Amino acid sequence: MLKPKLFSIIKHRKTELTKEQVVKDIIAGVVVAVIALPLSVALAIASGVSPEKGLITAIIAGFLISFLGGSRVQIGGPTGAFVIIVFGIIADYGLEGLTIATLMAGVFMIVFGLIKLGGVIQYIPYPIVTGFTSGIAVVLLSTQVKDFLGLDLAEVPSEFIPKWGTYISHIDSVDVTTLLVGMMSLLIITLWPKVTKKIPGSLIALIVATSIVQVFDLPVKTIGSEFGNISRQISFVDFSSFDLSLATIGALIRPALMIAFLASVESLLSAVVADGMIGKKHQSNMELIAQGIANISSALFGGIPATGAIARTAANINNGGRTPIAGMVHAVVLLVMMLVFMPLAKLIPMATLAAILVVVSYNMSEWRSFKAILSSTKSDALVLVLTFLMTVMFDLIIAIEVGMIFAMVLFVKRMIQSTDFQQVTHHYFETDADETTEVLPTSLNKGTVVYEITGPLFFGVAQAFLDVLNELHTDTKVLILKLTHVPHMDATAYQSLVSIKKRCEAEGMTLLLAEVSDQPQALLKAKRFCHDSSVIMYPTVTEAMRSRSA
């Protein structure tokens, strides 16, 4: 049943919404809002949009994700994973293109939820998720070098290698003052948690760095010098000048799918992590629908794509948040902050925002998981490295496509290796056979061959299945296939079985099936494989043998 988690909690409000818990949720919401303020501004600027758009996203999308979502504690808003995607879409299609793509992505996500893809998306191979997440972290870090070092660059190439080539060729233009402000901000962010974790280090760095720059009138770039005055209004987007032709919509399908996929994966991953922290279970399909509605609403008011933010969700939980009230309070507090403090945001140094995003990149990198996968199986390591490189060098969609193709190919290879064809005729005539197996008289052995198949019968092993006949002697009269340990048979394997049946008939052999497991048996009955009685399924191999000797 698709029902927002908040509504379920209200239904059980006597036990779920106690006064103590509501107070904890309000406090957690305020703390998360303080954390989200500098992050939302920094992520918006890194994405290539004006600072207030990050806050608009956190306010509108953040409220709706909590209000309508399938998780108790999910905190929504802009995240580092979207920076590269949003920047690329704006570069190719402009701000209008981003708005249309975000609207389309929201629709896609609602459809994902309605057709119940929530459970499927969670099963994307872990090496692929780690690969593209680490790749995004590296690319995000590379976008902050210019502002962190204060390099004198009018334009920076969007491609990864040319970008770093430009940085290296202009390294002599490093502004020492900007670098010192950035380093100071970075140190405050990393060391402040040792003082207290109640107030985020990013906010302290922002206040301290801004104060020092203003008091000493340091010649560094600020939000104001880059963007001018910052709006604190939230208004509906005017679509009258938008190009909503079929050609434009067609061109934006791919970027929209990219947004929808990443938002879906990241939000569900965040929800799963949150479930583990609070011992509860989220509703994945309702979460996708809420994320879709939130992205549509964000785009309608000029925001950027949003999803569940793992770090902010964890902060919510650690500060006592246990119901969606915390996320809703977080959005309302951000709205108040935007209305009151937004004029002061223009004083924030760009180097401080770069330092905040450097830390975000590090936290996103998942280098420990990356290292662990590299030391695991070769196939997982290959998928990880390919996905990572494709993300860094090209884009997320190409990375996921390549990663999924290789993951599927390697999975099929492993399944092929797990399926075994073994002749076990002797097992039924030896006195030292397993105690559970009846030992038959050797007189039944003449002309009878038993093959035991272990593992799934699917297209990858179809040819090996057919090769069973090539191993038979010319005096074979009865071929028994034991399918006890065949959990699945697909259409290709079925056709191979039909071919085996025809060849047996042509060569005067009798084909029998024994101990057929449920799924293959259902398939064979549906296909009426045994309808002419030339092939019979027996409950045991010994019964099959005795039936032919009778």
Side-chain angles (χ1 to χ4, degrees):
M1 181 178 177
L2 296 174
K3 186 177 183 180
K5 187 62 71 174
L6 177 64
F7 296 179
S8 299
I9 291 173
I10 291 175
K11 185 178 179 180
H12 302 91
R13 55 185 174 274
K14 290 184 179 180
T15 56
E16 298 274 8
L17 291 179
T18 62
K19 290 182 180 180
E20 294 79 6
Q21 186 55 56
V22 171
V23 171
K24 289 180 180 179
D25 287 326
I26 292 173
I27 294 172
V30 173
V31 172
V32 175
V34 172
I35 296 172
L37 177 65
L39 280 176
S40 300
V41 172
L43 291 168
I45 293 173
S47 299
V49 298
S50 53
E52 75 276 2
K53 293 188 180 300
L55 286 175
I56 290 172
T57 305
I59 292 167
I60 294 176
F63 185 89
L64 291 173
I65 287 171
S66 295
F67 182 68
L68 298 175
S71 170
R72 292 169 172 266
V73 292
Q74 184 87 278
I75 300 296
T79 67
F82 278 119
V83 168
I84 310 307
I85 295 175
V86 172
F87 193 90
I89 294 173
I90 293 175
D92 293 337
Y93 304 101
L95 194 56
E96 291 183 3
L98 173 65
T99 300
I100 297 171
T102 306
L103 287 169
M104 293 168 62
V107 173
F108 286 141
M109 293 179 73
I110 292 174
V111 173
F112 292 166
L114 291 175
I115 62 177
K116 300 184 178 180
L117 286 183
V120 176
I121 292 175
Q122 294 179 73
Y123 294 109
I124 294 171
Y126 187 61
I128 292 179
V129 176
T130 302
F132 74 66
T133 303
S134 300
I136 290 172
V138 170
V139 178
L140 175 59
L141 175 65
S142 71
T143 63
Q144 301 308 304
V145 174
K146 174 179 176 290
D147 288 333
F148 191 82
L149 300 180
L151 298 179
D152 185 15
L153 290 171
E155 291 185 6
V156 178
S158 58
E159 296 81 7
F160 184 77
I161 293 178
K163 186 194 299 288
W164 279 96
T166 302
Y167 289 154
I168 293 171
S169 64
H170 289 77
I171 197 67
D172 57 345
S173 67
V174 171
D175 183 76
V176 176
T177 305
T178 299
L179 177 59
L180 290 174
V181 171
M183 290 298 297
M184 177 188 66
S185 302
L186 191 60
L187 286 172
I188 292 173
I189 295 170
T190 54
L191 297 178
W192 182 257
K194 294 181 179 180
V195 178
T196 179
K197 293 183 179 180
K198 296 294 183 180
I199 304 174
S202 56
L203 181 64
I204 300 301
L206 189 147
I207 294 172
V208 172
T210 302
S211 300
I212 290 175
V213 167
Q214 294 304 311
V215 169
F216 295 99
D217 194 21
L218 300 179
V220 299
K221 292 181 179 179
T222 63
I223 292 178
S225 65
E226 293 291 296
F227 296 92
N229 290 324
I230 304 170
S231 173
R232 51 180 171 178
Q233 294 183 340
I234 301 178
S235 57
F236 195 78
V237 173
D238 182 7
F239 287 91
S240 61
S241 61
F242 279 46
D243 178 10
L244 298 175
S245 64
L246 289 177
T248 300
I249 293 174
L252 289 170
I253 287 179
R254 191 167 182 270
L257 283 172
M258 194 185 317
I259 294 171
F261 177 83
L262 183 57
S264 299
V265 171
E266 191 169 3
S267 64
L268 294 182
L269 284 175
S270 177
V272 169
V273 171
D275 287 349
M277 295 177 71
I278 65 175
K280 300 289 185 179
K281 190 174 182 180
H282 73 282
Q283 299 174 19
S284 57
N285 294 307
M286 189 64 239
E287 183 66 22
L288 288 180
I289 293 173
Q291 295 282 344
I293 295 172
N295 274 278
I296 291 173
S297 302
S298 175
L300 290 175
F301 288 92
I304 58 179
T307 186
I310 296 176
R312 276 162 271 173
T313 298
N316 176 35
I317 295 170
N318 292 333
N319 283 279
R322 291 296 183 274
T323 77
I325 290 175
M328 295 159 62
V329 169
H330 135 268
V332 173
V333 173
L334 276 177
L335 175 61
V336 173
M337 288 180 171
M338 179 179 177
L339 295 175
V340 175
F341 298 113
M342 205 57 182
L344 299 176
K346 65 181 181 180
L347 305 177
I348 299 172
M350 296 295 292
T352 299
L353 295 180
I356 292 172
L357 292 180
V358 166
V359 175
V360 170
S361 301
Y362 175 81
N363 292 333
M364 279 183 62
S365 66
E366 298 192 29
W367 63 269
R368 292 181 180 85
S369 297
F370 198 101
K371 182 180 178 181
I373 295 173
L374 283 179
S375 61
S376 60
T377 64
K378 291 182 180 179
S379 57
D380 285 339
L382 177 60
V383 171
L384 171 72
V385 172
L386 280 173
T387 307
F388 173 78
L389 291 177
M390 292 297 105
T391 303
V392 172
M393 298 300 177
F394 299 101
D395 64 43
L396 183 64
I397 288 294
I398 293 176
I400 293 170
E401 289 171 350
V402 172
M404 287 298 292
I405 289 172
F406 270 86
M408 287 186 289
V409 170
L410 293 170
F411 174 77
V412 170
K413 181 182 177 183
R414 286 195 293 269
M415 288 298 99
I416 292 172
Q417 293 171 341
S418 71
T419 302
D420 181 53
F421 301 86
Q422 186 176 7
Q423 188 179 153
V424 294
T425 312
H426 63 282
H427 181 73
Y428 295 90
F429 300 93
E430 294 178 350
T431 56
D432 61 347
D434 189 288
E435 293 181 358
T436 61
T437 302
E438 178 185 357
V439 179
L440 298 171
T442 55
S443 60
L444 298 180
N445 189 11
K446 187 176 180 180
T448 300
V449 175
V450 181
Y451 264 90
E452 181 175 21
I453 304 172
T454 303
L457 280 175
F458 68 113
F459 62 90
V461 297
Q463 186 57 49
F465 191 20
L466 284 171
D467 288 344
V468 166
L469 287 179
N470 298 331
E471 299 179 7
L472 299 179
H473 296 294
T474 55
D475 61 347
T476 300
K477 299 302 180 183
V478 179
L479 171 62
I480 301 176
L481 298 179
K482 181 183 178 184
L483 306 179
T484 312
H485 302 295
V486 176
H488 179 81
M489 177 187 292
D490 72 358
T492 307
Y494 171 77
Q495 289 304 319
S496 297
L497 185 58
V498 171
S499 297
I500 290 175
K501 174 185 175 183
K502 291 179 179 178
R503 286 181 60 184
C504 285
E505 292 171 349
E507 298 177 18
M509 284 188 289
T510 300
L511 174 64
L512 303 177
L513 305 180
E515 304 178 24
V516 184
S517 56
D518 293 342
Q519 190 276 336
Q521 187 173 144
L523 175 63
L524 294 175
K525 287 181 178 179
K527 295 286 188 179
R528 302 186 68 195
F529 183 75
C530 304
H531 75 285
D532 59 0
S533 298
S534 62
V535 180
I536 301 175
M537 287 188 282
Y538 290 90
T540 66
V541 172
T542 54
E543 287 188 38
M545 286 183 171
R546 289 186 181 282
S547 71
R548 304 318 296 173
S549 65

